[in-house]
Amino acid sequence: MREPEHRGPGPASASVSGTAAVVLDGDGVVIARSERAATLLECSPGRTCVPLLGMLPRAGTDAGPAGYLMTVPGDDHAGGKVPLVCTVVRLAAHTPGGEGTATQWLVLVTPAQTAEEAAERDARRRRTGLSQAAAAGIGTSLDVIELAETLVNLLVPDFADLATVDIAENVLVGDEPPHFHTSGDVRLRRTAAAQSPEISAEDLLAVGEALPAVTDSTLMRPLMEGLPVLVPDVAVLQAELGVDPRALPLFVPSGAHSSVAMPLYARGLILGCVTVWRSQLPSAFGEEDAALLKDVVSRAALGVDNARRYTKEHRSVVTLQRSLLPRSALDSAAAETVGVYQPAGGGSGVGGDWFDVIPLPSLRVAFVVGDVVGHGLDATAAMARLRTAVQTLADLDLDPGELLTHLDDLVLGFSEEQMTSESHAEHAGRSERSEPAVLGATCLYTVYDPVTGRCATAAAGHPPPVLLPPDGEPVFLRVTPGPPLGVGGVPFEVTEFGVRPGSMLAFFTDGLVESRGGDIEEGMERLRGSFAGADPGLPLDELSRAVFDGVRPQESVDDAALLLARIHALPPDQVAEWELEADLSLVSRARELVVGQLSEWQLDELGFVTELVASELVTNAIRYAGGPVGLRLIRDRVLVCEVSDTSSTQPRLRRARETDEGGRGLFLVAQLTDRWGCRFTGTGKTIWTEQPIGGALG
């Protein structure tokens, strides 16, 4: 027989596993067949194949290469009847004489699956898919709740109609769960749930609710050993659960016919429990299902334990970070301030952002905001070192540019210290971890004087602050930029500007305005626009939170800090100042001015000490520095006495000997006042003292 010419699959290519191939002529006579066809059909070559004759298309029609599908009854090898699926394809073959073509048909015959076989195959597919999805999706999150939600969404709807995850409350906050000795000791909270849309579970315990206590029972006791509890018949569970029948709907969804409960078991601890239910899926849970669920939940248990430990560490670092920051709200003569700090999302955690408000002498205040590169405990520790250094340098009353220069030197020293320590450890063959260095940081330092109403600021690689006048549009201040800390060798320039009372200054870190793949300029403009649309009359804490939440990107990968300061100015009647020539005879005039001003302020009780302090300081200024000499009194919660001169010589406190005629003036000043100090200015220096004022201001 000549091999027929055809389009589509022929007998040779169609003889695949489980499939039979038969070639028929137009009258249904068998021209050729495969070995598999002899098993499925009584079709001998040269004879009409009656079972397939009725499957051929009628004359004048052409099924084409796409085929023709139908089901016919056929005999299986066991003698029973099974359905056969036939695909009929028309073949074009030359006639023996070479004239025209004769119609031939290729029939592909495949036994159809039984319902049970199809269901089993579908179940195997679901189990394989669930196992693969669990391996890929579980354990990628370090958030307990997110991991629980991922788990229930994997289980529903292919494996179960309803799935719940209940976690021990200690685990949710990062602690180890207590040791449960019996099922009656279990205290869990519903953490996640998912259900097929076809079922109703309105009475079931809601997410976030605590599970009611259940009595110890033989049915549930395997959970304590990390074993599954398979319940093919829910009626058995309802009978043996041991709870009030009225509370059963909290535990058992209506219409469910089978369930499996699997403990989240890791490192010998019961972290929680996963429960699955079937109601719409017809087959009850079996041993294979329980084994698969155990494999999936064991992966989840490790993920939950990792997330728990991360939560604990994260909580500790956040607590440490917040303890290192100042109080969120402060109020002083210079400004009312509120600070907001928030760790990064997306698993990045706590970083090295910080803000600070440092009271300075003469009622001035320093606003500080900074950012250390990195996240975690190392960044927090580095931030603590920098914040302490800034506070120490601020206590020296340095101008902003000089303070950042010293801070830059410290950062360089920190890095060199760590590299030296690591080098010594490497040579000694030790792998110990040294204290983290500050590998990169930015800082903005601003000093505000409520007497003059002026600010002086310097930046080390940090964004400028926003100024919101009481009756104008918010603007970013033009601060001369400097390099980040740790670069070295570059001076930091100081920018000065005036601030009207009632204005607001906003200091922030880049985590507030920068997002993954976003432009920081767009974020800064978003911040400016947020202040433009805000109500300036809002309490400062409400305004700070509204701005912070409205500006910060939804998927921020960095921690962020925001410090708002509503500026105050000291009323003129709380300040008195005079200028004296370099004449020692004017010292008595200085004493008279001080006593008279204190009498006007009804602070006569401070007159004797203040008169003596002013006399000593003015005398020293005239004697050693020349003129002119400035004398100023400032009244607030403390009384400040300042004496300024043109000398840059640092005064030294010393104890005079009995034979010395002088040298006791500064010592007396230190003994009589609460605090004293010296700061250098552009024209010389200022020595200041503070005395507490009892009672309210007059």
Side-chain angles (χ1 to χ4, degrees):
M1 182 180 68
R2 179 184 294 179
E3 185 72 14
E5 297 179 2
H6 60 274
R7 295 173 297 162
S13 63
S15 184
V16 296
S17 176
T19 302
V22 182
V23 179
L24 306 173
D25 65 11
D27 297 324
V29 177
V30 177
I31 299 174
R33 70 178 183 184
S34 67
E35 293 182 4
R36 176 65 170 155
T39 304
L40 294 177
L41 299 166
E42 295 180 358
C43 294
S44 302
R47 294 185 179 183
T48 301
C49 186
V50 176
L52 298 182
L53 183 61
M55 305 298 105
L56 302 181
R58 296 179 180 178
T61 63
D62 186 359
Y68 181 80
L69 297 177
M70 62 177 52
T71 301
V72 298
D75 293 326
D76 64 6
H77 62 278
K81 297 290 186 178
V82 297
L84 299 176
V85 178
C86 298
T87 304
V88 182
V89 181
R90 184 180 184 277
L91 304 176
H94 293 287
T95 59
E99 299 177 0
T101 60
T103 300
Q104 294 182 354
W105 301 97
L106 169 65
V107 182
L108 303 178
V109 183
T110 304
Q113 288 181 319
T114 63
E116 292 77 7
E117 291 173 333
E120 178 57 30
R121 182 179 180 183
D122 185 57
R124 285 197 301 269
R125 178 191 60 79
R126 290 199 308 268
R127 286 195 289 266
T128 302
L130 176 59
S131 182
Q132 294 173 345
I138 293 178
T140 60
S141 173
L142 289 175
D143 183 271
V144 174
I145 296 177
E146 182 179 332
L147 198 151
E149 291 173 346
T150 300
L151 178 58
V152 295
N153 289 327
L154 280 175
L155 296 172
V156 175
D158 286 344
F159 183 74
D161 293 307
L162 173 66
T164 60
V165 176
D166 307 313
I167 303 290
E169 294 184 350
N170 305 55
V171 174
L172 293 174
V173 296
D175 295 332
E176 284 192 353
H179 288 274
F180 300 123
H181 300 290
T182 68
S183 57
D185 298 331
V186 177
R187 297 292 185 273
L188 306 176
R189 185 171 293 273
R190 178 68 38 93
T191 307
Q195 65 187 62
S196 300
E198 296 84 4
I199 69 170
S200 174
E202 297 178 355
D203 296 329
L204 206 64
L205 194 71
V207 172
E209 297 292 329
L211 266 70
V214 297
T215 58
D216 187 30
S217 64
T218 305
L219 178 68
M220 305 301 292
R221 204 165 293 162
L223 292 174
M224 302 301 99
E225 301 174 5
L227 301 175
V229 174
L230 173 61
V231 183
D233 186 356
V234 168
V236 176
L237 176 64
Q238 293 172 329
E240 299 187 18
L241 194 57
V243 299
D244 188 330
R246 292 172 295 182
L248 271 177
L250 296 174
F251 294 91
V252 182
S254 60
H257 57 71
S258 63
S259 74
V260 183
M262 178 67 66
L264 285 160
Y265 190 75
R267 298 188 305 108
L269 296 173
I270 304 295
L271 306 174
C273 183
V274 178
T275 309
V276 292
W277 307 85
R278 281 182 181 172
S279 57
Q280 299 298 311
L281 294 173
S283 60
F285 286 113
E287 294 294 341
E288 290 187 5
D289 296 311
L292 173 61
L293 185 63
K294 183 177 181 180
D295 178 62
V296 172
V297 173
S298 64
R299 297 175 187 270
L302 293 175
V304 168
D305 191 51
N306 289 336
R308 175 195 66 78
R309 286 185 284 182
Y310 172 79
T311 300
K312 184 176 182 178
E313 179 182 348
H314 183 267
R315 186 185 62 184
S316 300
V317 175
V318 169
T319 302
L320 174 62
Q321 170 84 331
R322 296 192 186 281
S323 70
L324 294 172
L325 296 176
R327 289 182 302 169
S328 60
L330 295 171
D331 197 1
S332 67
E336 174 193 1
T337 62
V338 167
V340 180
Y341 170 80
Q342 187 169 311
S348 299
V350 177
D353 289 15
W354 91 93
F355 61 85
D356 214 342
V357 181
I358 306 174
L360 297 176
S362 304
L363 306 184
R364 296 169 304 136
V365 65
F367 307 116
V368 189
V369 63
D371 183 3
V372 174
V373 173
H375 297 91
L377 198 56
D378 287 356
T380 300
M383 178 275 288
R385 298 183 74 177
L386 278 189
R387 182 175 179 237
T388 302
V390 171
Q391 290 175 331
T392 302
L393 293 170
D395 194 51
L396 298 176
D397 223 344
L398 304 174
D399 75 75
E402 189 176 358
L403 183 142
L404 289 183
T405 299
H406 284 288
L407 194 63
D408 187 48
D409 292 339
L410 284 172
V411 171
L412 287 172
F414 291 159
S415 299
E416 292 176 1
E417 174 187 329
Q418 178 171 357
M419 287 188 291
T420 302
S421 177
E422 290 178 349
S423 177
H424 290 166
E426 183 178 352
H427 286 304
R430 302 190 307 268
S431 59
E432 62 184 26
R433 186 181 181 186
S434 58
E435 189 174 350
V438 182
L439 300 179
T442 65
C443 184
L444 180 74
Y445 185 83
T446 303
V447 175
Y448 170 66
D449 188 341
V451 177
T452 63
R454 295 192 63 77
C455 280
T457 187
H462 204 87
V466 179
L467 172 63
L468 179 60
D471 55 357
E473 291 295 316
V475 294
F476 284 97
L477 293 171
R478 296 183 179 274
V479 178
T480 304
L485 298 173
V487 174
V490 181
F492 298 95
E493 296 188 28
V494 178
T495 303
E496 294 192 8
F497 53 92
V499 184
R500 287 187 292 159
S503 299
M504 190 163 57
L505 288 171
F507 307 89
F508 59 95
T509 58
D510 58 5
L512 181 64
V513 295
E514 192 173 26
S515 59
R516 189 191 300 273
D519 187 354
I520 190 172
E521 297 295 334
E522 294 179 0
M524 292 177 66
E525 181 58 30
R526 196 166 59 246
L527 176 63
R528 193 196 68 80
S530 180
F531 280 113
D535 180 5
L538 282 175
L540 206 58
D541 56 343
E542 295 182 19
L543 179 60
S544 63
R545 179 50 65 181
V547 170
F548 192 94
D549 293 341
V551 174
R552 193 181 190 203
Q554 293 294 325
E555 297 182 358
S556 177
V557 295
D558 196 6
D559 54 337
L562 172 67
L563 175 64
L564 296 188
R566 185 167 281 152
I567 299 301
H568 302 326
L570 211 61
D573 61 356
Q574 291 182 219
V575 181
E577 53 186 335
W578 307 274
E579 187 173 294
L580 304 173
E581 296 297 328
D583 185 349
L584 288 175
S585 66
L586 295 177
V587 174
S588 60
R589 174 59 180 163
R591 291 196 296 266
E592 292 174 1
L593 292 171
V594 167
V595 172
Q597 186 61 58
L598 292 180
S599 177
E600 183 179 335
W601 283 343
Q602 298 180 7
L603 297 175
D604 300 273
E605 69 277 6
L606 301 178
F608 175 76
V609 171
T610 309
E611 179 186 4
L612 180 58
V613 167
S615 177
E616 290 292 339
L617 295 180
V618 170
T619 299
N620 287 344
I622 294 174
R623 180 173 294 168
Y624 300 112
V629 175
L631 174 62
R632 183 164 70 172
L633 296 179
I634 305 173
R635 175 181 67 109
D636 192 63
R637 295 182 177 88
V638 295
L639 176 65
V640 179
C641 179
E642 295 181 344
V643 174
S644 304
D645 58 50
T646 57
S647 172
S648 298
T649 304
Q650 174 73 40
R652 292 189 303 111
L653 179 66
R654 66 185 181 91
R655 185 181 297 274
R657 293 171 295 183
E658 293 183 1
T659 57
D660 290 344
E661 294 185 3
R664 295 177 175 84
L666 203 55
F667 178 76
L668 289 174
V669 168
Q671 294 296 309
L672 294 173
T673 59
D674 196 48
R675 291 200 311 157
W676 78 279
C678 175
R679 68 175 179 272
F680 293 98
T681 64
T683 58
K685 71 174 181 295
T686 297
I687 299 177
W688 55 269
T689 66
E690 286 184 4
Q691 300 174 69
I693 296 177
L697 294 178

